[in-house]
Amino acid sequence: MTDTPFDHLEIALQADASDRLSAEREKCPVQHSSAHDGFWAFLGYEHVGDAARDPETYSSASGVTIPAHAFPMALPPIEADPPLHMQVRGPLLPRLAPGVMNDLEDDLRAMVTGLIDEFIESGSADLAADLSIPFPGMSIGKLMNVPDDDVAMLRHMTAHLMQNSTDTDMIMQAMGFFQKLYEDRLANPAEDLPTAILELEIDGEQIGNEQFLAIMAMVMMAGLDTTANAAGTMFELIGANPEVRQALIDDPAKIPQAVEEFLRYATPLHASGRTTTSDVEVEGCPVGAGDKVLLNWLAANHDPAEFEEPDTLNIERFPNRHFAFGTGPHRCLGIHLARMQLKLLAEEVLARLPDYQVDEASVERYVGVTRGLSSLPVTFTAGTTAS
Amino acid sequence: MSTIRVDSDRCQGHAMCVTQAPSLVDVDDLGFAVIIGDGTLSTPEHHEQAERAVACCPEQALHVEDES
């Protein structure tokens, strides 16, 4: 057993994280680390994919973050195994299906337009704090069908928890908010996501109060920070690659395929955890039953065994079977919402502030469950509001 | 004649195939891939679409069956 001080959180904070992960992968694609109470890091595309598609061996029920988060319960469906997993996930799938998201396009675009209106006349903005971070909160607020004041609170709580996942005070605040939502929808069912969650049945019985809170917490944690960081890193990559920017301005129809490449390249959800249910040998390494395993999506997404010239940003890349949304039964539940959000953000920013320049010295990065930008200051030629 | 098939046990609903083969694959209400009609590849365009759909699936859930 080789024991290295490999720490995915320390690496993910770096601008050159993928280079460092590739160096680690070349050294050893499966390695043990003593960090965070010990875990096995899977760094190659094939091992990561095989493990993610094998929930019988690689369980999610004991948590999917390394280190563990501080919520007082597992958060299903992401932290659940079969059969509970599909009992929760299945009824939520149609609410997040591609057609449903297409119907939301106009409403979501109006949110982006409104956020850009707030800074377009000034010629400067923070594309993280003023756009990439608030927009997913507003989108999830729409799905949750909660008032604007509550959306602002959700955004604040999530941004805080993503960087301080063990802050129990903030977790209790979030739980209090979801408890109010639970009581309200019990009394006033609506055509919205909280009511759909309230009506879930587990083993033939309607879900209880605590399970409702857990699932809402999962929606909040998975839906806000992930997309915010995908958007922030997308704008950073566009800013750093003039030929990519010009290609997308010239032909906005290329944006959806380019979004997949931004996701592969930056991989904001950089890694997820599993726990083995039996002894397995992987790449000659003895992974014991009950060991923690880290599936490093970012390392997999830069593996030359799968991706030609993996460190080149190529918006024409095909195929692009990246794991930015994971793979296997736990692939991101909000994948179609995320793609729509990122497409709209890229379209609107490139249409309205196409010449934005990033102030690279002031970019602020952070890492928790996801990696991304808390600040991306830009300047551009001022424009006019849409309304 | 060749046909495109989806392995429903492997499909996880990434829906990448739909962007590459809109004449051959659609998604159901849950977002999982379903083959349009019987999946027969009757034109060169069908073959090209099918090849791209198979190549882009992150779950390797699609394949083309060749019958001579």
Side-chain angles (χ1 to χ4, degrees):
Chain A
M1 186 186 298
T2 55
D3 219 331
T4 65
F6 175 91
D7 185 346
H8 54 294
L9 298 183
E10 184 268 318
I11 291 175
L13 189 58
Q14 314 301 324
D16 65 346
S18 58
D19 294 343
R20 290 190 46 193
L21 288 168
S22 288
E24 291 290 340
R25 187 184 51 244
E26 280 162 30
K27 218 161 54 185
C28 190
V30 172
Q31 50 181 276
H32 192 265
S33 171
S34 54
H36 308 297
D37 299 327
F39 64 92
W40 294 94
F42 286 15
L43 303 174
Y45 185 89
E46 190 181 347
H47 294 314
V48 168
D50 287 350
R53 295 187 200 105
D54 180 4
E56 283 77 27
T57 309
Y58 297 91
S59 166
S60 295
S62 304
V64 295
T65 57
I66 297 176
H69 61 69
F71 281 84
M73 72 284 259
L75 307 181
I78 195 168
E79 294 185 326
D81 291 331
L84 170 63
H85 171 246
M86 269 313 270
Q87 291 185 15
V88 176
R89 181 181 170 101
L92 301 181
L93 282 169
R95 300 211 156 250
L96 294 159
V100 176
M101 294 304 124
N102 288 339
D103 292 343
L104 279 177
E105 179 166 357
D106 291 348
D107 287 345
L108 296 176
R109 190 186 295 277
M111 291 176 192
V112 177
T113 302
L115 286 166
I116 294 177
D117 276 353
E118 288 177 24
F119 58 69
I120 189 72
E121 291 175 320
S122 73
S124 68
D126 185 330
L127 286 186
D130 299 337
L131 184 63
S132 302
I133 294 172
F135 174 51
M138 295 162 75
S139 309
I140 294 287
K142 178 156 186 67
L143 288 178
M144 284 193 184
N145 191 21
V146 298
D148 289 349
D149 287 352
D150 288 351
V151 172
M153 188 172 59
L154 272 174
R155 271 167 44 192
H156 169 69
M157 290 190 299
T158 308
H160 183 84
L161 282 172
M162 276 290 172
Q163 298 185 59
N164 307 279
S165 65
T166 54
D167 183 340
T168 45
D169 284 349
M170 190 60 86
I171 286 174
M172 292 322 290
Q173 269 192 49
M175 290 298 143
F177 172 73
F178 293 134
Q179 180 63 25
K180 268 173 47 193
L181 202 57
Y182 177 75
E183 289 162 13
D184 180 75
R185 294 302 193 278
L186 265 184
N188 311 295
E191 185 53 42
D192 58 20
L193 192 62
T195 305
I197 292 170
L198 189 66
E199 290 170 351
L200 288 173
E201 290 190 2
I202 295 172
D203 299 334
E205 287 186 32
Q206 190 174 349
I207 69 161
N209 194 342
E210 185 180 327
Q211 286 161 316
F212 176 88
L213 299 182
I215 297 167
M216 290 304 289
M218 188 283 302
V219 171
M220 178 180 85
M221 297 303 283
L224 301 197
D225 200 70
T226 48
T227 315
N229 285 335
T233 49
M234 171 175 77
F235 289 133
E236 185 185 31
L237 287 169
I238 292 173
N241 291 276
E243 69 296 343
V244 167
R245 183 204 305 250
Q246 197 57 50
L248 298 181
I249 291 170
D250 292 345
D251 185 3
K254 288 184 171 169
I255 287 175
Q257 189 176 353
V259 162
E260 301 300 325
E261 177 68 348
F262 299 138
L263 285 164
R264 179 194 72 84
Y265 196 89
T267 316
L269 180 63
H270 55 101
S272 298
R274 298 288 190 269
T275 306
T276 48
T277 57
S278 59
D279 293 346
V280 282
E281 191 178 302
V282 186
E283 199 75 19
C285 295
V287 181
D291 283 359
K292 291 286 179 192
V293 173
L294 184 84
L295 309 181
N296 200 300
W297 311 115
L298 175 59
N301 280 345
H302 284 260
D303 186 346
E306 170 66 17
F307 300 100
E308 208 171 297
E309 295 187 28
D311 301 319
T312 301
L313 182 76
N314 173 11
I315 60 169
E316 309 276 351
R317 185 179 294 281
F318 185 89
N320 188 355
R321 304 185 304 163
H322 66 77
F323 292 157
F325 293 113
T327 184
H330 291 283
R331 73 93 181 139
C332 171
L333 189 51
I335 187 172
H336 307 300
L337 173 62
R339 283 188 184 136
M340 174 68 74
Q341 290 168 316
L342 294 168
K343 176 186 90 109
L344 293 172
L345 285 164
E347 285 178 358
E348 292 300 316
V349 163
L350 290 173
R352 298 183 67 193
L353 46 147
D355 65 348
Y356 76 83
Q357 296 297 317
V358 176
D359 175 7
E360 282 165 29
S362 304
V363 170
E364 287 173 19
R365 294 174 199 287
Y366 80 95
V367 162
V369 177
T370 65
R371 66 190 290 261
L373 308 173
S374 50
S375 186
L376 183 67
V378 300
T379 52
F380 52 88
T381 305
T384 53
T385 57
S387 51
Chain B
M1 196 65 89
S2 304
T3 52
I4 185 167
R5 303 273 182 224
V6 60
D7 179 346
S8 299
D9 289 337
R10 289 192 75 98
C11 175
Q12 299 294 349
H14 294 255
M16 294 306 292
C17 51
V18 183
T19 66
Q20 301 300 325
S23 319
L24 301 171
V25 195
D26 199 356
V27 288
D28 64 15
D29 290 345
L30 295 179
F32 293 112
V34 286
I35 302 300
I36 297 169
D38 62 6
T40 301
L41 308 180
S42 47
T43 66
E45 192 201 348
H46 280 174
H47 280 274
E48 194 189 322
Q49 282 194 11
E51 194 179 309
R52 291 179 68 85
V54 169
C56 75
C57 177
E59 309 290 348
Q60 300 164 38
L62 291 157
H63 63 278
V64 170
E65 277 178 10
D66 290 311
E67 288 169 34
S68 51

